[in-house]
Amino acid sequence: YRNMRAHLEKLDNIPAASLMRKLQLRSERQDDDFFSKLVSWAYGTFSGYGFAPGRPLLIAAALYAATAIAVYFFDGGTPGQPKDWYNGAETYLVEPPDSAIIVRSAALPLQSIANPFGLFSSRRLVVAQTPLFAGLLTLQGLFTDFLILMSVLGIRRRFKLI
Protein backbone atom coordinates (compact mmCIF):
# COMPACT_ATOMS: atom_id res chain seq x y z
CA TYR A 1 0.00 0.00 0.00
CA ARG A 2 2.79 2.39 0.90
CA ASN A 3 4.57 2.09 -2.47
CA MET A 4 1.31 2.33 -4.40
CA ARG A 5 0.31 5.42 -2.45
CA ALA A 6 3.69 7.08 -3.08
CA HIS A 7 3.36 6.37 -6.80
CA LEU A 8 -0.15 7.80 -6.90
CA GLU A 9 0.99 10.93 -5.03
CA LYS A 10 3.75 11.43 -7.61
CA LEU A 11 1.08 11.26 -10.32
CA ASP A 12 -1.00 13.84 -8.36
CA ASN A 13 -3.87 11.38 -8.10
CA ILE A 14 -4.87 12.50 -4.61
CA PRO A 15 -8.25 10.69 -4.39
CA ALA A 16 -6.66 7.32 -5.22
CA ALA A 17 -3.71 8.04 -2.90
CA SER A 18 -6.18 8.83 -0.11
CA LEU A 19 -7.95 5.53 -0.72
CA MET A 20 -4.62 3.70 -0.55
CA ARG A 21 -3.85 5.46 2.75
CA LYS A 22 -7.20 4.37 4.15
CA LEU A 23 -6.57 0.77 3.09
CA GLN A 24 -3.05 0.92 4.52
CA LEU A 25 -4.36 2.07 7.90
CA ARG A 26 -7.01 -0.63 7.85
CA SER A 27 -4.47 -3.37 7.10
CA GLU A 28 -2.01 -2.15 9.75
CA ARG A 29 -4.75 -2.43 12.34
CA GLN A 30 -4.35 -6.24 12.38
CA ASP A 31 -1.00 -6.05 14.21
CA ASP A 32 -2.04 -3.60 16.94
CA ASP A 33 -3.01 -4.19 20.55
CA PHE A 34 -6.63 -3.86 21.74
CA PHE A 35 -6.57 -0.14 22.59
CA SER A 36 -4.93 0.81 19.28
CA LYS A 37 -7.46 -1.32 17.41
CA LEU A 38 -10.30 0.38 19.29
CA VAL A 39 -9.04 3.89 18.56
CA SER A 40 -8.32 3.00 14.93
CA TRP A 41 -11.77 1.46 14.55
CA ALA A 42 -13.43 4.56 16.03
CA TYR A 43 -11.36 6.89 13.85
CA GLY A 44 -12.22 4.86 10.76
CA THR A 45 -15.89 4.44 11.58
CA PHE A 46 -16.73 7.95 12.66
CA SER A 47 -14.50 10.06 10.40
CA GLY A 48 -13.26 7.72 7.67
CA TYR A 49 -9.65 8.08 8.86
CA GLY A 50 -9.94 11.85 8.50
CA PHE A 51 -11.43 11.81 5.01
CA ALA A 52 -14.92 12.78 6.26
CA PRO A 53 -14.33 15.56 8.81
CA GLY A 54 -17.99 16.63 8.81
CA ARG A 55 -19.35 13.22 9.78
CA PRO A 56 -18.31 13.41 13.47
CA LEU A 57 -19.98 16.82 13.78
CA LEU A 58 -23.23 15.45 12.34
CA ILE A 59 -23.08 12.51 14.76
CA ALA A 60 -22.37 14.92 17.64
CA ALA A 61 -25.34 17.11 16.64
CA ALA A 62 -27.62 14.06 16.47
CA LEU A 63 -26.36 12.87 19.86
CA TYR A 64 -26.97 16.32 21.36
CA ALA A 65 -30.52 16.41 19.97
CA ALA A 66 -31.28 12.90 21.26
CA THR A 67 -29.88 13.76 24.69
CA ALA A 68 -31.85 17.02 24.89
CA ILE A 69 -35.06 15.19 23.99
CA ALA A 70 -34.33 12.47 26.56
CA VAL A 71 -33.66 15.09 29.24
CA TYR A 72 -36.91 16.85 28.39
CA PHE A 73 -39.06 13.72 28.57
CA PHE A 74 -37.38 11.75 31.36
CA ASP A 75 -35.36 14.10 33.60
CA GLY A 76 -36.06 17.76 32.96
CA GLY A 77 -33.02 18.99 34.82
CA THR A 78 -33.29 21.22 37.82
CA PRO A 79 -31.75 24.61 38.54
CA GLY A 80 -28.39 24.22 40.22
CA GLN A 81 -28.66 27.43 42.24
CA PRO A 82 -31.37 29.16 44.31
CA LYS A 83 -34.02 30.91 42.19
CA ASP A 84 -32.93 34.44 43.18
CA TRP A 85 -29.32 33.71 42.10
CA TYR A 86 -30.22 33.79 38.39
CA ASN A 87 -30.24 37.17 36.65
CA GLY A 88 -30.31 38.42 33.08
CA ALA A 89 -30.56 35.72 30.43
CA GLU A 90 -30.11 33.03 33.07
CA THR A 91 -33.64 33.69 34.36
CA TYR A 92 -34.97 31.71 31.39
CA LEU A 93 -33.72 28.61 33.23
CA VAL A 94 -36.25 29.13 36.04
CA GLU A 95 -39.11 31.31 34.70
CA PRO A 96 -41.67 30.97 33.19
CA PRO A 97 -42.01 27.40 34.49
CA ASP A 98 -43.56 25.97 31.30
CA SER A 99 -40.76 27.07 28.96
CA ALA A 100 -37.97 26.82 31.55
CA ILE A 101 -37.95 23.03 31.26
CA ILE A 102 -37.31 23.34 27.51
CA VAL A 103 -34.42 25.74 28.10
CA ARG A 104 -32.97 23.51 30.82
CA SER A 105 -33.29 20.46 28.53
CA ALA A 106 -31.28 22.30 25.87
CA ALA A 107 -28.71 23.74 28.30
CA LEU A 108 -27.94 20.59 30.28
CA PRO A 109 -26.37 18.58 27.40
CA LEU A 110 -24.40 21.66 26.28
CA GLN A 111 -23.09 22.08 29.80
CA SER A 112 -21.94 18.45 29.83
CA ILE A 113 -20.14 18.93 26.49
CA ALA A 114 -18.23 21.94 27.78
CA ASN A 115 -17.53 20.46 31.20
CA PRO A 116 -18.14 16.67 31.26
CA PHE A 117 -16.98 15.98 34.80
CA GLY A 118 -17.96 19.32 36.32
CA LEU A 119 -14.37 20.03 37.36
CA PHE A 120 -14.09 23.54 35.96
CA SER A 121 -16.97 25.16 37.82
CA SER A 122 -18.27 24.84 41.33
CA ARG A 123 -21.60 26.47 40.41
CA ARG A 124 -23.56 24.65 37.74
CA LEU A 125 -26.53 26.39 36.15
CA VAL A 126 -28.51 23.19 35.64
CA VAL A 127 -28.07 19.75 37.16
CA ALA A 128 -29.63 16.38 36.37
CA GLN A 129 -32.33 15.23 38.76
CA THR A 130 -31.22 11.60 38.83
CA PRO A 131 -27.78 10.00 39.14
CA LEU A 132 -28.49 7.88 36.06
CA PHE A 133 -28.90 10.95 33.87
CA ALA A 134 -25.87 12.59 35.47
CA GLY A 135 -23.78 9.58 34.42
CA LEU A 136 -25.31 9.46 30.95
CA LEU A 137 -24.68 13.18 30.47
CA THR A 138 -21.03 12.71 31.45
CA LEU A 139 -20.68 9.92 28.87
CA GLN A 140 -22.45 12.04 26.27
CA GLY A 141 -20.13 14.95 26.97
CA LEU A 142 -16.99 12.81 26.71
CA PHE A 143 -18.13 11.10 23.52
CA THR A 144 -19.14 14.41 21.92
CA ASP A 145 -15.77 15.91 22.83
CA PHE A 146 -14.12 12.86 21.23
CA LEU A 147 -16.18 13.41 18.07
CA ILE A 148 -15.18 17.07 17.94
CA LEU A 149 -11.53 16.05 18.29
CA MET A 150 -11.90 13.59 15.40
CA SER A 151 -13.43 16.33 13.27
CA VAL A 152 -10.57 18.70 14.07
CA LEU A 153 -8.03 16.00 13.23
CA GLY A 154 -9.88 15.30 9.99
CA ILE A 155 -9.83 18.97 9.02
CA ARG A 156 -6.14 19.12 9.88
CA ARG A 157 -5.46 16.08 7.71
CA ARG A 158 -7.70 17.21 4.87
CA PHE A 159 -6.08 20.62 4.52
CA LYS A 160 -2.61 19.39 5.47
CA LEU A 161 -2.29 21.76 8.42
CA ILE A 162 0.47 21.35 10.98
Side-chain angles (χ1 to χ4, degrees):
Y1 290 116
R2 191 176 303 130
N3 293 336
M4 180 68 89
R5 183 172 60 102
H7 177 69
L8 290 169
E9 286 175 351
K10 285 180 187 176
L11 295 174
D12 288 330
N13 190 348
I14 301 303
S18 296
L19 177 63
M20 283 297 128
R21 175 70 176 148
K22 188 187 290 189
L23 293 172
Q24 177 187 355
L25 289 172
R26 196 171 285 161
S27 69
E28 289 175 356
R29 190 185 326 164
Q30 305 304 321
D31 300 331
D32 289 338
D33 61 348
F34 175 75
F35 183 74
S36 297
K37 282 183 183 180
L38 180 68
V39 171
S40 181
W41 172 83
Y43 191 47
T45 301
F46 294 114
S47 73
Y49 294 105
F51 295 105
R55 190 186 311 162
L57 294 179
L58 291 175
I59 295 170
L63 181 62
Y64 166 76
T67 305
I69 290 168
V71 169
Y72 177 76
F73 284 110
F74 299 111
D75 187 66
T78 186
Q81 303 297 325
K83 195 172 187 177
D84 59 346
W85 183 84
Y86 296 93
N87 56 21
E90 296 168 349
T91 58
Y92 288 111
L93 294 168
V94 290
E95 290 182 9
D98 297 336
S99 63
I101 191 169
I102 296 170
V103 176
R104 287 194 306 263
S105 298
L108 191 54
L110 286 175
Q111 184 174 276
S112 70
I113 291 170
N115 190 6
F117 292 114
L119 300 175
F120 303 115
S121 174
S122 60
R123 292 184 256 181
R124 301 187 99 190
L125 295 175
V126 183
V127 294
Q129 290 181 5
T130 61
L132 175 67
F133 263 92
L136 289 175
L137 285 166
T138 299
L139 292 176
Q140 177 257 344
L142 289 172
F143 188 65
T144 303
D145 291 342
F146 178 69
L147 290 170
I148 291 169
L149 173 68
M150 283 197 295
S151 184
V152 168
L153 292 175
I155 290 169
R156 179 181 165 262
R157 186 194 185 306
R158 180 119 178 164
F159 296 108
K160 295 180 180 17
L161 301 174
I162 295 174

